[in-house]
Amino acid sequence: MAQLTCKNLTLGYDSKIILQNINFQVCKGDYLCILGENGSGKSTLMKTILNLLKPLGGTIERGDGLLKDEIGYLPQQNEVQKDFPASVKEIVLSGCQSRCGRRPFYNKKEKQLAVDAMKKMEILNLSKRCFRDLSGGQQQRVLLARAICATQKMFLLDEPVSALDPETTEEMYQLINSLNDEGITIIMISHDIEGALKYASHILYVGHDVFFGTKEEFLCYKH
C-alpha cells in the first residue's frame, strides 16, 4: 500500500501554474529522487507534499498509516540557518517538539532519542558545539539527526548535498542510504543525476515533460 499518492497535481502560486499533470506514488521503503532543471518546480512540489502550499488542482493522499506529522523535512540551508546560535544538542532535541504536546520540557525518552540520533549521524562528540561553528557537512548531519527525532517513517530532503565537497557529498549519500536501508522512505530533490541513479529506487523527472518510474525505466527513457 502506498504511503503517498499524488493524482493529477497542478502546482503553482497565485493561480500561476508551474507544474501540472503530476502523478506518482511512494511506498514504504522507496527511495525517490526528484530531478529537473532549476525553476522546474521541484521545491514547490515538496512544499505542497508537506502541506506548506496548497495544490491548484489534484489530490495528495497519505496511506499505510502515515500521518502528516510523521514526515521529516530537511530543507535547503540558507545563510540564516547556517549562522544559527544554538548548540548541536539543542537543535537535534528540537526535532522532538511535536512529541511533547503541551509539556514545556523534554522527557527522558526524548533526550535518549536525540542521543541515539546523534550517534547514528556520528556527531555525538559535537553535542556541545555551536551549530554556526560547524562545517557544512557537519551542519547537514545535525539537521538530519533532528529530522530523525521528528519521524521514523518518511524523510523529504531538498538538495541535501548542495555546496558540499565530493567526499562529504558521498558521506551524506551513504548516511541517507543507511536510513533507507532501515526502512525509512526517502524523497529527495537533487541536481546530481549520477548520485540519484546510484542510490534511488525511483525517479520523478519534472519539467516540460514529466516522467515517473524506476531508475531502470528512467535510463531507458533518457536514451
Side-chain angles (χ1 to χ4, degrees):
M1 182 180 182
Q3 284 184 326
L4 190 75
T5 303
C6 295
K7 295 180 180 178
N8 301 318
L9 274 186
T10 298
L11 310 177
Y13 300 90
D14 302 322
S15 300
K16 179 186 176 183
I17 294 174
I18 296 175
L19 276 174
Q20 55 188 345
N21 299 321
I22 304 298
N23 293 276
F24 68 95
Q25 65 177 29
V26 182
C27 297
K28 176 178 171 57
D30 282 353
Y31 190 141
L32 172 67
C33 266
I34 303 174
L35 304 174
E37 299 296 327
N38 288 338
S40 60
K42 301 185 297 296
S43 293
T44 301
L45 172 59
M46 186 163 281
K47 289 175 182 176
T48 305
I49 292 171
L50 288 161
N51 207 32
L52 300 174
L53 295 173
K54 296 292 184 185
L56 299 181
T59 60
I60 299 175
E61 300 169 4
R62 291 184 300 275
D64 198 21
L66 181 70
L67 302 176
K68 185 167 65 174
D69 61 0
E70 291 178 326
I71 302 175
Y73 179 40
L74 183 63
Q76 263 190 295
Q77 273 192 274
N78 57 40
E79 291 306 314
V80 173
Q81 289 171 317
K82 290 178 182 178
D83 201 36
F84 198 66
S87 73
V88 167
K89 183 179 179 180
E90 288 170 332
I91 289 176
V92 175
L93 258 175
S94 70
C96 296
Q97 283 180 349
S98 62
R99 302 170 186 268
C100 292
R102 295 184 177 181
R103 277 187 287 112
F105 57 86
Y106 299 108
N107 63 26
K108 188 175 180 179
K109 183 178 179 181
E110 289 151 2
K111 290 177 181 178
Q112 186 59 50
L113 186 64
V115 168
D116 292 342
M118 287 188 285
K119 284 180 179 177
K120 189 173 288 187
M121 292 296 106
E122 300 175 358
I123 55 169
L124 188 59
N125 61 316
L126 304 176
S127 63
K128 295 181 180 179
R129 292 273 303 277
C130 185
F131 181 75
R132 64 185 174 193
D133 294 335
L134 304 180
S135 69
Q138 289 170 331
Q139 288 184 343
Q140 287 296 71
R141 286 173 182 254
V142 172
L143 296 175
L144 204 50
R146 183 186 185 277
I148 291 171
C149 287
T151 180
Q152 297 288 316
K153 290 191 175 182
M154 178 182 284
F155 286 164
L156 272 60
L157 306 102
D158 191 349
E159 297 279 14
V161 300
S162 62
L164 299 182
D165 63 68
E167 183 178 350
T168 309
T169 292
E170 182 58 28
E171 289 175 358
M172 186 59 59
Y173 276 140
Q174 290 182 10
L175 285 169
I176 295 167
N177 193 55
S178 69
L179 295 173
N180 182 241
D181 287 342
E182 293 174 9
I184 294 175
T185 305
I186 302 293
I187 300 178
M188 181 174 75
I189 291 175
S190 180
H191 66 279
D192 179 8
I193 293 181
E194 184 179 340
L197 292 175
K198 184 175 180 179
Y199 293 104
S201 61
H202 294 75
I203 302 290
L204 174 65
Y205 186 89
V206 297
H208 181 69
D209 295 313
V210 176
F211 168 89
F212 171 68
T214 65
K215 66 179 177 183
E216 290 79 15
E217 291 167 340
F218 178 72
L219 287 169
C220 293
Y221 165 78
K222 291 298 286 184
H223 291 92

